[in-house]
Amino acid sequence: MLQHLSFKIAGEAGFGIKEAGLIFSRVLLNQNYFVFDYSEYPSLIRGGHNTYQATFSNQKLDCFYSKLDLLIALDQQTIDSDIDQLLPNGILIFDPTVCKIPESLHRKLVPVPLQEIVKQAQAPEITKNTVALGAAMAIIDLPLSALFASLSRSFEAKGEAVLRMNHLTAQEGFNFVKNNFPAITIKTPPSEQTEPRLFLTANDAMSLAAIASGAKAYFAYPMTPASSILHNLAKMERAAGMVVKQSEDEIAAINQAIGASFAGIRCAVGTSGGGFALMVEALGLAAITETPLVVFEVQRPGPATGVPTWTGQADLNFVRHSTPGDFLRIVVAPGDVEEAFHLTTKAFNLADKYQIPVIVLTDKLLAESRQTVTEFDHKKINIDQGNLVKNSSENYQRYANDPSGISPRALPDFGQGLVKANSDEHDFAGYSTEDAQKIEQIVNKRARKVELLKKELPPPTIYGPQNAELTIVSWGSTKLAVNQALQKLKNDSVNHLHLTYLEPLPPQTKLRLEAAKNLVVIEGNQTGQLASLLQEKTGVVINDRINKYNGRPFYPEEIEEKVSQMLKLKAQN
């Protein structure tokens, strides 16, 4: 029975690499496979080496695999850069007039004259990617009609001539391989899965979650890898009844969001680390005025401009400590597409209920990688606006000293009360004060919210056996590779403790850490930010750490290898 297969198409930017890969993935989706994709591209306006790869399986996938069963090389750079990913029994499709294959390479070679086929078909050079897809269809032994259907979805809007040309070039690539390499195939038995599924990125899921949560405004300045949230919501704004605003910069975006929230509109703002750096002063404004605010912070490696189109997890300390002063904020980090949807809906409720900023922290891997998921159950979404006053009285106090710390929240012009928002420290009525006792009282009032909040934070999730010899601790997108690795390790020696709520930590976190026999933290930064956070908040010191900070995500294979080595060493000791 098929476990998983991985393919990659790569070549020069401008030759439709990502679109070609997505067309191929949709073929597999339509055959009811689970698919997880991943793309790489440089931070260039034009040119550079682009790749698209995906793993597909007839079983649920948590992550893609780095090692490849099929590599489609559209240029020499692919041979030079990506050939080491091809498994020893892997298949290489390439154009022999373009690519020079090392004599030492021992793989199944399928030379296809891509450019010659395109020339004979009198088609544009870019369609060599479609020829290659046709060749790949012959190898994976799926009907060419499935590729035609996927091509139609991508190109039918461009007219009959373009669609016919792509069908023709795909047919030529398919025929060439069938006629010349009939013995080189990968058998792909049909998947038995039939339930409706979606193929989404975390940015897609967060966009849908914002709409499902009743958000009516979104503000952002484009910044990779958060930009597609802005693009998604802009396409849907009329249907969703939203205002979607591309602001002049990040400072304007967050202040516009705060203004909208003060007026009673559920809204969010989105950016990456560099943009969030510009927002931090206004984040304090939301905190001191107790204005609900949801911030999507989609990480990429820093500091400064960093590596804009790659991934990392180095903003955890930054978002936890940004802005002067003490105040409560929530930092929640989804680990996959489903969590991105459900935790975003939860973020809007928590922001309203506790009248605080909630930061949804993801990264480029989650933001741009599509994953097969079951359809979201919208019936489970409950919109909770917290202690919202519909009709305020004349003696209304915006920051009334409620025992919970959560003051009744009235909206401007809804009732007789005067609704104030003061960025200076203030008393319970909202008037500026420098009185020592009043300052202490209002700070304590805001701080009391955390006790109620901690009671509703869910504990970290344990995957695998409860009583394992080794517990992997991770947060955010690292969950993907860790859980996929667990499927291969499949023994009682290792489990996985996945954290989503990082600020504040759920109270049960310490108990779960202390119950583990041995701990290792896996995270995508150099300094071990999660490990330091856990030591600070729980006193649990985790010395074994696996850190990665080269812009690439963790792969299941490397986690399998490193965890297996750790288990062997611990067994020897």
Side-chain angles (χ1 to χ4, degrees), residues 374-393:
T374 56
E375 291 186 349
F376 304 126
D377 186 357
H378 288 253
K379 294 179 181 178
K380 293 182 179 179
I381 299 173
N382 174 44
I383 297 177
D384 180 3
Q385 294 183 288
N387 193 1
L388 187 65
V389 178
K390 301 293 186 181
N391 188 13
S392 60
S393 62

Side-chain angles (χ1 to χ4, degrees), residues 28 181 353 444 497:
L28 301 166
F181 303 97
K353 181 175 180 178
N444 287 340
L497 184 66

